[in-house]
Amino acid sequence: MAKTKFSKETYLMWYEQMLLMRKFEERAGQLYIQQKIRGFCHLYIGQEAIAAGAMSTIKADDNVITAYRDHVHPFIKGVEPKYVMAELFGKSTGVSKGKGGSMHMFSQPHRVFGGHGIVGGQIPLGAGIAFAEKYKGTNNVTLCYMGDGAVRQGALHEAFNMAMLWKLPVVFIIENNNYAMGTSVERTSNVIELYTLGESYDMPAAPVNAMSVEAVHDAMEIAVAHCREGKGPYLLEMKTYRYRGHSMSDPAKYRTKEEVEEYKAQDPIQRVLTTLLEKKYASEAQVEAINEKVNLIVDECVKFSEESPFPDASELYKDVYAQEDYPFIRE
Amino acid sequence: MAQIVKMPKLSDTMTEGVVSKWHKSVGDTVKNGDLLAEIETDKATMEFESFQDGVLLYRGIEEGQATPVDAVLAILGEAGEDFQPILDEYNKGAAKPTEEPKAETAQPKAEPKADEAPATAEVKAQPAAESKPAEVKKPHYLKKKVQVLMVA
Ligand SMILES: Cc1ncc(C[n+]2csc(CCOP(=O)(O)OP(=O)(O)O)c2C)c(N)n1
Ligand SMILES: [Mg+2]
């Protein structure tokens, strides 16, 4: 169990934030089957404590980069959910101006570096962002998220080696939900305790029960402080679970219903709710009010997205190269 | 107020779905999150959970039948409510899914295009019992129903 004592306000914040992530994703799933959202769509349902537990440990100038399961990571950095929803709709008001969609959430002002569809592609990029921060002499930390499948990519080893060698301020965070599409962790390597991969590079590393937002917070606090003090990278293996299929079209036949239920029984949101009520941090009525507020926020996200325009065709030529008159761009 | 539950688009390439099993009967109460039906898409059989609440008033198709995406799958409302007007209204509108589905529409019917048959193509598994003698006219890789593997 978590060692730190947390305030009532922290618990209330966690409850609201995680519920918002859950409801946002549930709605995204519904909108997908109604064809308001098209293309790919990978939901974060079940993994919310990882994002929420990070929120309480970082500052505005820190960086976040992740894979395609990326709808809620922008929330960590304070991006308003409606801009993420608009991106899912492909609307011009979306975080990536409607040109990225579900897998490519970017926000320069919030220092959110995507959304990457190439499994593991974000690992060396995350190290690179941390390198830039070190080079510029800031004390900004980079959070680099990856799945258990991404961990099996070769690029991880080069990135880990260099990050350690150069003491880069990056927290590598494995979101181990036990599956890479339909392939379980055990089927991909003899090394199934993923945090032990840090040992090869003398990188400090720890496993975390990511169904507990308190445990995530505690681990993140240690890792972020380690980076911020210039001591180099840190590896955290968040042991989590996704309740839904890999993407919208995955019936998830490779696992049993009992297995899913086992994890739902440890649901991170339910756990926080239990704490709120047991410690009398909130009454039933206050909880109901938060639920209501979250539903309204999600409704507002959808309304905003529906009413926003699609990007103009001319947008296709923009944001491709940093240099404006790059010779390959001709309208 | 009665509301239409449309055949959902459960995969990016799905054009129609077959109800392989209904989990609710007419008269049952359906809550947001309840398993309403198992629906066979071009890829797999998916569980379809309702995101609407209400009493199940009408089921658009029988088990084993197919209907296009957006056609009426079911109607939810208050017990005893007359759903006929909303059904007629919907079927008069843009989507006209009223035709009796033909038996073969239960199978994915998209003919593979040449450029859809690279090494990454996935062959849709056919139940062994159904396998027929192979046609010989087409090149080997076009004989089976080929679909581009969904990679993300
Ligand atoms: C380089 C590469 N190989 C394969 C794929 C296909 N692919 C997409 S998601 C995925 C599974 C990755 O699983 P994991 O890293 O555990 O992340 P999760 O989906 O569980 O969050 C695979 C193999 C890809 N997108 N990129
Ligand atoms: Mg995974």
Side-chain angles (χ1 to χ4, degrees):
Chain A
M1 270 269 73
K3 284 174 233 92
T4 330
K5 283 291 261 159
F6 298 100
S7 68
K8 169 181 156 181
E9 286 66 34
T10 304
Y11 276 108
L12 285 168
M13 185 275 281
W14 280 336
Y15 179 69
E16 182 174 325
Q17 290 300 327
M18 287 198 286
L19 191 69
L20 177 58
M21 295 170 190
R22 173 82 45 102
K23 294 291 167 197
F24 183 95
E25 291 288 69
E26 284 177 359
R27 190 70 70 87
Q30 293 164 10
L31 291 160
Y32 185 88
I33 61 176
Q34 296 171 278
Q35 304 152 68
K36 299 280 187 187
I37 296 171
R38 287 155 188 270
F40 290 114
C41 185
H42 309 85
L43 303 178
Y44 203 64
I45 295 174
Q47 306 187 193
E48 295 90 350
I50 304 174
M55 280 176 158
S56 37
T57 64
I58 56 167
K59 61 186 184 62
D61 284 342
D62 291 339
N63 309 297
V64 166
I65 184 166
T66 186
Y68 45 81
R69 199 176 298 286
D70 64 342
H71 305 168
V72 312
H73 293 80
F75 301 179
I76 304 177
K77 291 303 313 298
V79 174
E80 270 189 69
K82 65 179 181 181
Y83 300 115
V84 176
M85 187 65 88
E87 190 59 42
L88 292 174
F89 273 68
K91 296 297 183 76
S92 63
T93 50
V95 266
S96 306
K97 301 185 192 169
K99 296 187 279 187
S102 164
M103 304 203 287
H104 307 105
M105 299 294 170
F106 284 77
S107 174
Q108 201 175 29
H110 295 90
R111 309 186 74 86
V112 175
F113 288 81
H116 295 267
I118 306 296
V119 168
Q122 76 280 20
I123 306 171
L125 293 177
I129 296 162
F131 178 87
E133 295 289 8
K134 177 147 186 160
Y135 187 79
K136 288 193 266 179
T138 72
N139 71 350
N140 300 337
V141 172
T142 299
L143 308 185
C144 178
Y145 291 86
M146 69 197 81
D148 46 278
V151 165
R152 305 314 189 187
Q153 290 286 41
L156 171 131
H157 298 278
E158 287 185 62
F160 276 19
N161 188 52
M162 280 189 266
M164 264 317 276
L165 188 64
W166 294 330
K167 298 234 176 312
L168 303 182
V170 50
V171 188
F172 293 110
I173 303 159
I174 304 169
E175 298 179 313
N176 179 3
N177 56 18
N178 208 26
Y179 293 96
M181 299 180 83
T183 307
S184 66
V185 170
E186 299 81 60
R187 290 175 61 206
T188 58
S189 170
N190 290 333
V191 182
I192 57 172
E193 295 294 340
L194 302 179
Y195 71 94
T196 62
L197 290 172
E199 278 172 19
S200 320
Y201 304 97
D202 287 345
M203 192 186 296
V208 182
N209 171 13
M211 303 311 268
S212 155
V213 67
E214 296 99 323
V216 172
H217 168 97
D218 285 351
M220 286 296 295
E221 198 160 61
I222 293 166
V224 168
H226 181 92
C227 287
R228 188 114 48 222
E229 288 161 18
K231 294 182 187 161
Y234 211 104
L235 174 64
L236 293 175
E237 179 193 351
M238 301 290 179
K239 293 186 188 286
T240 184
Y241 202 77
R242 63 166 157 72
Y243 299 171
R244 299 292 183 93
H246 166 75
S247 63
M248 291 303 296
S249 48
D250 171 17
K253 294 275 158 69
Y254 43 80
R255 60 185 189 186
T256 61
K257 282 201 169 20
E258 290 71 35
E259 181 182 304
V260 181
E261 290 310 316
E262 209 177 290
Y263 280 94
K264 284 188 177 172
Q266 319 164 40
D267 185 69
I269 304 178
Q270 203 54 47
R271 288 168 70 137
V272 167
L273 179 59
T274 306
T275 306
L276 279 177
L277 295 174
E278 271 178 6
K279 300 208 170 189
K280 303 220 183 323
Y281 287 164
S283 65
E284 300 264 355
Q286 282 167 307
V287 169
E288 199 41 56
I290 298 173
N291 299 351
E292 202 53 44
K293 177 180 167 192
V294 164
N295 285 336
L296 282 176
I297 295 173
V298 176
D299 287 346
E300 173 54 35
C301 288
V302 178
K303 185 164 178 284
F304 175 76
S305 305
E306 297 265 17
E307 289 170 357
S308 295
F310 283 108
D312 191 77
S314 67
E315 274 292 320
L316 277 173
Y317 298 97
K318 295 184 189 144
D319 307 318
V320 181
Y321 295 98
Q323 183 187 326
E324 283 206 4
D325 57 348
Y326 198 79
F328 289 168
I329 302 276
R330 257 183 231 111
E331 291 199 35
Chain B
M1 177 55 195
Q3 43 180 336
I4 306 269
V5 180
K6 299 178 199 171
M7 172 59 82
K9 189 171 165 100
L10 295 167
S11 91
D12 202 37
T13 47
M14 172 178 174
T15 53
E16 63 172 21
V18 178
V19 170
S20 49
K21 187 165 169 42
W22 278 109
H23 283 262
K24 295 280 178 186
S25 308
V26 169
D28 286 355
T29 300
V30 178
K31 287 206 300 285
N32 183 347
D34 283 356
L35 180 57
L36 188 60
E38 285 169 47
I39 294 173
E40 196 184 322
T41 74
D42 55 338
K43 293 244 161 24
T45 302
M46 307 280 295
E47 293 188 339
F48 174 49
E49 290 176 1
S50 180
F51 51 86
Q52 293 152 294
D53 294 310
V55 171
L56 184 61
L57 302 175
Y58 169 78
R59 300 202 301 205
I61 50 172
E62 298 299 320
E63 285 181 3
Q65 286 189 326
T67 200
V69 167
D70 281 345
V72 179
L73 179 65
I75 297 177
L76 298 177
E78 281 158 32
E81 192 179 338
D82 179 14
F83 59 84
Q84 201 59 44
I86 179 170
L87 180 61
D88 293 344
E89 175 85 5
Y90 188 79
N91 285 337
K92 250 191 285 153
K96 278 223 182 68
T98 43
E99 301 251 299
E100 269 295 300
K102 294 174 212 85
E104 76 264 19
T105 58
Q107 293 293 325
K109 52 181 185 260
E111 273 298 310
K113 293 187 211 94
D115 63 349
E116 280 184 83
T120 50
E122 179 193 48
V123 176
K124 173 141 175 147
Q126 297 283 349
E130 272 180 37
S131 64
K132 301 240 166 66
E135 293 171 41
V136 283
K137 278 169 254 157
K138 292 178 187 167
H140 163 76
Y141 60 90
L142 290 181
K143 269 191 270 178
K144 302 211 183 93
K145 287 178 174 142
V146 174
Q147 296 195 324
V148 175
L149 182 64
M150 185 172 268
V151 287

